[in-house]
Amino acid sequence: GKTEIARRLARLADAPFIKVEATKFTEVGYVGKDVDSIIRDLVDIAIKQTREAAMKRQRGRAEDAAEDRILDLLVPLTRDVRSEPGVASPPESTARQVMRKRLREGALADKVIEIELAEPQTSMEIMTPPGMEEMASQLKGLFSQVGAGRTKTRKLRIDEAHKLLVEEEAGKLVNDDDIKTQALHNAENNGIVFIDEIDKVTSRSDQGGPEVS
């Protein structure tokens, strides 16, 4: 219960939180990660947390953009009514207004459409010997860029497609550089490393032997 209480308090305080087993710091042999990799994981958590908060703030604009992408498939805009750069957007056609109303009411939720979505970036865990966590981090970042920007056409129900489009559009509206700066500041000032299971690595002073404590 102690860990869960700490985790919930950290969530209320909007503080990056990571739990570490005390056995990672044992003196007999090498167990687990070193301190650098623990802090690196904490920063990764802070980045994810900050990105989710930024995307949540942009949700309204993302929903509008997702709605427009679905409507473009249902009621394609003709070339003469598409807005040109620097020109005010033309009023919506009656058919598009009717379709937008039905879309918002959920009347089209079960309709299947074929839509182009960005492929999710690959996530890979790389195991390295102790002391080479920096190289593992660089390789992980390199592999995460593989396939970035690729799209895939999928057939989905409109309600399913709308959720994925909202996430994709929200991701486009956030600035990764600003997110990393804010996340690093949050991790430095509010980050929490919760060291659990201290009792596993302690013993009475009158006892000895080749144990981890």
Side-chain angles (χ1 to χ4, degrees):
K2 298 184 294 293
T3 305
E4 185 58 26
I5 290 172
R7 194 188 307 277
R8 294 191 182 196
L9 288 173
R11 191 179 299 122
L12 289 173
D14 194 27
F17 177 92
I18 187 172
K19 186 189 83 164
V20 180
E21 307 295 336
T23 49
K24 293 183 184 297
F25 303 102
T26 55
E27 296 179 4
V28 179
Y30 184 88
V31 182
K33 305 175 182 179
D34 61 13
V35 176
D36 287 347
S37 63
I38 291 169
I39 300 304
R40 192 175 295 115
D41 289 344
L42 181 68
V43 172
D44 288 341
I45 290 169
I47 291 173
K48 181 181 178 182
Q49 187 174 312
T50 306
R51 178 176 283 109
E52 287 175 352
M55 290 172 65
K56 190 174 181 180
R57 289 194 296 270
Q58 298 289 351
R59 188 168 182 85
R61 293 173 60 192
E63 286 182 346
D64 290 341
E67 192 177 81
D68 286 336
R69 285 180 63 179
I70 293 173
L71 286 171
D72 287 343
L73 293 173
L74 299 175
V75 189
L77 291 173
T78 57
R79 190 170 185 178
D80 57 338
V81 300
R82 290 183 183 275
S83 59
E84 298 294 334
V87 179
S89 300
E92 283 192 332
S93 65
T94 304
R96 193 174 175 92
Q97 289 177 1
V98 171
M99 199 64 74
R100 186 184 295 275
K101 183 174 182 294
R102 294 185 64 194
L103 180 62
R104 290 179 176 177
E105 291 173 347
L108 303 174
D110 295 333
K111 182 178 175 63
V112 176
I113 58 173
E114 192 170 311
I115 194 159
E116 197 171 303
L117 293 167
E119 288 189 358
Q121 293 186 3
T122 56
S123 179
M124 184 180 298
E125 285 295 329
I126 300 176
M127 303 299 293
T128 56
M132 300 191 65
E133 287 81 4
E134 184 69 30
M135 180 181 292
S137 178
Q138 293 175 0
L139 288 173
K140 188 176 179 181
L142 181 64
F143 283 116
S144 68
Q145 298 301 317
V146 175
R150 292 182 181 176
T151 60
K152 182 178 181 180
T153 302
R154 299 174 60 184
K155 286 186 177 181
L156 296 168
R157 292 184 0 163
I158 284 182
D159 55 348
E160 297 172 347
H162 185 262
K163 292 177 183 178
L164 295 175
L165 286 171
V166 168
E167 294 294 324
E168 184 177 314
E169 292 296 330
K172 294 177 183 177
L173 293 171
V174 299
N175 187 304
D176 282 340
D177 291 335
D178 291 344
I179 285 174
K180 289 177 181 177
T181 301
Q182 294 172 18
L184 188 58
H185 181 270
N186 196 20
E188 289 174 344
N189 292 276
N190 304 313
I192 298 172
V193 177
F194 187 91
I195 302 178
D196 198 13
E197 297 189 355
I198 289 289
D199 58 308
K200 299 293 196 310
V201 293
T202 58
S203 62
R204 296 178 59 182
S205 59
D206 57 351
Q207 294 179 343
E211 56 179 349
V212 294
S213 58

